[in-house]
Amino acid sequence: AFLASMPERYVLANDTDVIRAHARLAGDRGAAPVALFAGVAPGAFVSELVVRADDRPGLLADVAAVLASHRLDVTTAQVHTRALAYPEAFDVFHVRRTGAVEGEPIALSTLYRVKADLEDLLAGRVRAEDLLARRAAPPSWSRRRNPAVATQVLIDGSGSRGFTIIDVFTRDREGLLHTIARTLHEQRLSIGLAKVSTEGDRAADVFYVTDERGLKLEDPARVAGVEAALRRALDALATLDPR
């Protein structure tokens, strides 16, 4: 039943053990606005978070804001929508926490705060900007000079039958996923699939999007506008964290 509710790309992207583990988390969440599950992901210093909530435009940006506000850096992400009586987001994030020990799970106190913030954000009791603003700034001595990473935004209308593919290559920094997802939402685009990965200081994020009619982007002027909006947002983010 779990596999029947998930898109085919989920099956192709995950092995049997992962699918079995996720299926155990897919029971009825009742009236709960959000369900949050945590475990240890493959790889050093990385934990897995699974977020289930009613799907809606802008959800990825909101979840990313909460994670960033708790200084949980997203190293990879899978964003899926389950075909239930109502569309349900089933989003899988691999995150790392500053100072974590390999294999150490995220503290329960942190998970409780993440879940509470998600509920407040989804209910409109708090804004993403408020959550991001309240996070403690890292000490100046912890900031290191890193090699420059050029920003590239590539928009491809031919690589998928039903989606426009947007590739974003840039330097990884706090709030990056939120910034990109929020910008796509502001451009009235729906994210059907997101593949987020980080290698060192370089982020390589891929988004499969459609317009407000559920169609690919065809108008060259609109494609150019989306690219320009993403570049402006990334430039603005870089001025806040100019390492």
Side-chain angles (χ1 to χ4, degrees):
F2 172 68
L3 287 176
S5 73
M6 295 295 284
E8 181 181 1
R9 59 178 177 267
Y10 169 83
V11 181
L12 300 176
N14 296 280
D15 63 30
T16 304
D17 289 340
V18 171
I19 293 173
R20 184 182 293 112
H22 287 167
R24 296 191 185 103
L25 310 178
D28 184 13
R29 60 185 169 89
V34 63
L36 178 68
F37 306 94
V40 178
F45 312 105
V46 178
S47 296
E48 180 179 89
L49 293 182
V50 176
V51 178
R52 294 174 55 204
D54 291 350
D55 202 11
R56 61 166 177 74
L59 178 63
L60 177 59
D62 286 344
V63 175
V66 171
L67 297 180
S69 72
H70 290 276
R71 296 205 172 279
L72 297 174
D73 297 327
V74 178
T75 60
T76 65
Q78 296 182 41
V79 178
H80 303 288
T81 300
R82 297 182 67 193
L84 301 176
Y86 50 87
E88 181 190 68
F90 192 96
D91 298 344
V92 183
F93 301 89
H94 286 181
V95 301
R96 63 185 173 211
R97 179 175 54 81
T98 302
V101 177
E102 183 173 356
E104 177 189 11
I106 298 174
L108 280 176
S109 58
T110 299
L111 293 176
Y112 289 140
R113 291 196 298 270
V114 168
K115 186 173 185 293
D117 285 344
L118 281 172
E119 291 175 348
D120 286 343
L121 195 54
L122 296 179
R125 292 188 291 266
V126 68
R127 300 182 308 159
E129 293 78 7
D130 299 329
L131 293 176
L132 292 169
R134 78 183 188 191
R135 66 189 178 191
S140 59
W141 53 262
S142 69
R143 298 183 179 181
R144 65 187 188 277
R145 300 296 299 181
N146 297 316
V149 177
T151 293
Q152 291 181 288
V153 178
L154 307 176
I155 301 180
D156 174 25
S158 62
S160 170
R161 181 178 302 174
F163 295 92
T164 295
I165 303 173
I166 300 178
D167 290 274
V168 179
F169 304 96
T170 190
R171 190 179 65 75
D172 189 33
R173 55 180 68 93
E174 289 184 354
L176 176 62
L177 179 57
H178 167 71
T179 296
I180 297 173
R182 182 200 63 207
T183 302
L184 295 178
H185 176 56
E186 291 172 347
Q187 292 294 307
R188 307 188 309 283
L189 300 179
S190 296
I191 300 172
L193 172 64
K195 299 177 181 179
V196 177
S197 61
T198 304
E199 295 183 3
D201 290 323
R202 185 174 188 266
D205 299 347
V206 186
F207 301 87
Y208 287 66
V209 304
T210 55
D211 65 12
E212 55 269 32
R213 301 167 297 166
L215 303 176
K216 296 166 63 172
L217 300 181
E218 301 288 353
D219 181 7
R222 185 166 187 189
V223 170
V226 170
E227 179 180 351
L230 284 168
R231 289 187 177 277
R232 285 195 302 270
L234 293 172
D235 288 344
L237 183 62
T239 63
L240 299 176
D241 182 18
R243 286 178 289 170

